[in-house]
Amino acid sequence: MSQTRTYQVRGMTCGHCAGAVTAELEKLGGVTAVAVEVVPQGDSPVTVTSTAALTDDAVRAAWRSRVTSSSEHPRSERRPAPPR
């Protein structure tokens, strides 16, 4: 049975951000789909579907691993906040 959960991420401003977040979340075991709607001036919904429940810690760790290594971001001084 699949589970779907949506996280709100503030500060995601572009397709590069969405692609980076998607790639990291897809690496988590059991993740079958990730959908990101970029809302540059607000909270961007990130919906994750997985075959089993994901812990908030696992999602935050995947997020942080990407954000902390994103010096190649076109606007590297503007890094999104972790999901809530």
Side-chain angles (χ1 to χ4, degrees), residues 3-27:
Q3 300 197 9
T4 301
R5 184 148 179 215
T6 300
Y7 301 87
Q8 299 299 318
V9 179
R10 176 158 292 162
M12 196 175 323
T13 59
C14 65
H16 180 272
C17 295
V21 168
T22 298
E24 288 303 313
L25 290 171
E26 286 175 338
K27 291 178 185 177

Side-chain angles (χ1 to χ4, degrees), residues 2 4 9 18 21 23 28 30 32 35-36 43 45 50-51 53 58-59 70:
S2 67
T4 301
V9 179
V21 168
L28 294 176
T32 57
V36 178
D43 293 340
S50 59
T51 56
V59 171
S70 67

Side-chain angles (χ1 to χ4, degrees), residues 40-64:
Q41 301 300 321
D43 293 340
S44 298
V46 177
T47 302
V48 182
T49 303
S50 59
T51 56
L54 299 173
T55 66
D56 288 342
D57 288 342
V59 171
R60 282 189 195 101
W63 175 260
R64 285 190 183 116

